[in-house]
Amino acid sequence: MYFTLKDAKDGSTLNCIIWAGKYKLFGIDLQAGLKITASGNPEVYAPNGRLSFVCDTIEFAGEGDLKKQYDLLKEKLTKEGLFDVSEKDKFQNIRKMLEL
């Protein structure tokens, strides 16, 4: 996956690459404006001398890191129906039957 990192202070940019297998491994859906921390190595494309950054890892950055991860997990589990109130009622009925 190709993307561009932009410095928040001066607006400078750096073209980046993260290979599909690693991108899926980290579970981050890259979107414009998202603050991340990336680590990896610089790479120069010889034919035109263009500098790119090949990422080994990407992760959320800043104070909202844990909150963002929590929200993503909650959204995933909600889609699976794990927070559905009707499902909760089924388990309460089973628990009541087991208590008797």
Side-chain angles (χ1 to χ4, degrees), residues 39-92:
S39 63
N41 299 301
E43 184 177 278
V44 176
Y45 182 65
N48 63 8
R50 175 170 276 163
L51 176 68
S52 294
F53 187 75
V54 180
C55 298
D56 292 325
T57 63
I58 56 173
E59 56 190 30
F60 293 112
E63 286 183 5
D65 172 28
L66 189 57
K67 172 83 166 88
K68 183 75 172 178
Q69 291 178 17
Y70 169 80
D71 290 340
L72 289 173
L73 179 60
K74 184 176 178 183
E75 180 181 333
K76 176 186 171 193
L77 297 177
T78 300
K79 287 180 182 176
E80 292 177 11
L82 297 177
F83 292 113
D84 189 5
V85 177
S86 64
E87 293 295 321
K88 183 178 177 181
D89 291 339
K90 290 178 186 176
F91 288 113
Q92 287 178 347

Side-chain angles (χ1 to χ4, degrees), residues 13 16 38 58 74 97:
T13 61
C16 299
I58 56 173
K74 184 176 178 183
M97 289 183 350

Side-chain angles (χ1 to χ4, degrees), residues 9-26:
K9 294 178 184 175
D10 65 7
S12 58
T13 61
L14 177 63
N15 293 325
C16 299
I17 302 165
I18 187 164
W19 304 118
K22 289 185 179 183
Y23 176 67
K24 290 177 185 175
L25 177 70
F26 294 109

